[in-house]
Structures are given as C-alpha cells and as structure tokens.
Amino acid sequence: MGRAALAAALAVLAAGCSGGSAGQAASPQPGASAAHATKAPPSGAPASPAATGRRRPRAAPTLLPVPPVRPRLHQTMVRPRGHSKILRAELTDLWAAVVTSRPALGMPAFFPLYAYRQVKAIADPTADWHGRLVADFRLDVRAAHALLGRRARHARLVRVIVPSAQASWINPGVCANGVGYWHVAGARVLYRLRGQLRSIGIASLISWRGRWYVVHFGAVLRGASVGVVDQPARGAGTPGPPGGC
C-alpha cells in the first residue's frame, strides 16, 4: 500500500473513533449547572401574584351604559315604570359610585342639568344644580360608602325597589317649579354584605321624559353640609312614605 493510501485509511479510522453518529445528542459537559435545564416561562406570560409578592388587583365595579336623552327636548307626562333596562343601568352605576366612593360614576343616574334648567323657575338653576344638588349628591354617596365600611367593594347590589304606584304628578308652580314632573319618594336599594341582606333609601326620584332620575339621594333637606344616608336598615326596609316634591 502506498503512503497516500495508508494516510487516507488512518484518517477514516480516526474520524470513526472521535464521536457518535450525526443523529445522537451530545452528552452534557461535567459540572454543568442544573439551572440551565429549567424551562423559562413563555415570552409575555404574566407572573403569578405569589411569584411577584403583589396582591391581586380589586375587581372593578359593574357599570352599565346609560343611553343619554337628547338636550333641548321638552318634558312629557309619560309616567316612568318601576322596572326597566334603563333604570337598572342607572342604578347599577349609582351603586358603583357608592362601593368605590366615586360620585362621578353615578352621574348617569342623576337628574340632567339641561332638564333642571327647564324645570326650576328660579334665577340661576345652573348654579343651584352644581352648588346644591350635585354637591349634596357627592356628600351622600361618600356617606353611603362609609356606612358599608372597609368591605364596601364586596357589597353586591341585589335589586332596587321603586314604589312607582305611590308616584304623584307635581304641577307647575309647586316647589318653585316651572314644569311638571312625576315624583316618588323612598325607593329602596337592596344589597348583600357579609352574607346579610341590607338596604338604604333614595330620598327622591323625579321624572324626565318617562325616565326616573335621582335628584336627592340621602336627604331632601339638611341642616348642614354633610352627607346623609336615607333610612339604612337590615333587610329590605320599607319603601316610602309617599309625599314631597
């Protein structure tokens, strides 16, 4: 055998003894850290609260869309019902305001400014709406939140009883009003907290174009600029009494 052929044969033998076949995985190097064998979480996967040491965020309150009423329309004598999808949406948003102590969330349930400008026969209804009605509403929402206590966000709305059979039509000229409307007092907001059924009242609802709106939440009149909770009770309480304007 020539020198060239002998060198080629020795090269083939050396290649065969140096490693496994092409399809065989290489053995891990001695002393390699076991941490390298741990699979990383998928990219973008959220870390668990236990891993990060953070508390789970509180659940957001339920809010329902309330369809607006177009401005510049006039009052009607349509009597609102005690049950409707719109009323349920309004009062769901009102309850969200109570459990979070954020009165702005409940404003879709509040009597609209453009309607109040038509209803109230006084010098400056806009200033009265902002400075008295809305200011009192904010105080009353926060007072109701304080009544619920630390577990306010765990309070669950059960239903709202509107005693629409007790509603009365308020004629123009009564209570400094220039336009008539339907009025009902003493609606009841039923909720469950710590397994107990409880309730608070809505002092006054009035109508605009066939829909109920909150105009006084905790009290119609008050002796000081403080929040009021209307007739808090264990259980459903008693709707009413009728009267007022």
Side-chain angles (χ1 to χ4, degrees):
M1 179 181 296
R3 291 182 179 180
L6 179 60
L10 292 174
V12 171
L13 289 173
C17 296
S18 63
S21 65
Q24 185 177 3
S27 301
Q29 295 295 322
S33 171
H36 293 293
T38 303
K39 291 184 178 180
S43 177
S48 68
T52 61
R54 299 174 182 173
R55 294 182 179 180
R56 292 182 183 274
R58 292 178 177 178
T62 300
L63 291 170
L64 295 178
V66 177
V69 177
R70 288 183 299 164
R72 294 182 295 277
L73 297 179
H74 296 291
Q75 176 68 296
T76 69
M77 293 188 69
V78 176
R79 182 173 180 155
R81 294 182 297 161
H83 302 277
S84 70
K85 291 179 66 175
I86 292 177
L87 181 61
R88 176 174 172 266
E90 289 179 354
L91 298 178
T92 297
D93 291 359
L94 174 64
W95 187 246
V98 169
V99 298
T100 60
S101 193
R102 294 170 59 190
L105 297 182
M107 288 305 292
F110 197 76
F111 197 71
L113 174 57
Y114 60 82
Y116 194 68
R117 286 171 176 160
Q118 293 187 44
V119 165
K120 215 64 177 173
I122 58 177
D124 194 347
T126 299
D128 188 57
W129 187 87
H130 284 288
R132 183 175 66 92
L133 295 186
V134 175
D136 287 350
F137 176 73
R138 290 170 177 160
L139 292 172
D140 293 346
V141 166
R142 292 180 178 126
H145 177 81
L147 175 73
L148 298 183
R150 292 183 177 181
R151 295 181 62 82
R153 281 182 177 263
H154 297 275
R156 294 291 175 261
L157 179 64
V158 176
R159 60 180 294 212
V160 178
I161 301 173
V162 177
S164 55
Q166 300 177 2
S168 57
W169 176 258
I170 307 301
N171 288 314
V174 178
C175 294
N177 295 321
V179 174
Y181 53 80
W182 290 98
H183 169 267
V184 67
R188 302 296 298 172
V189 180
L190 279 61
Y191 65 95
R192 195 172 296 279
L193 180 62
R194 298 179 184 270
Q196 294 183 337
L197 181 67
R198 305 180 185 184
S199 62
I200 59 176
I202 299 176
S204 184
L205 295 167
I206 66 176
S207 74
W208 183 254
R209 299 185 60 82
R211 286 167 54 171
W212 286 124
Y213 288 96
V214 177
V215 68
H216 301 290
F217 185 22
V220 177
L221 301 173
R222 63 197 73 204
S225 183
V226 295
V228 179
V229 180
D230 183 53
Q231 302 182 57
R234 293 185 180 272
T238 303
C245 62

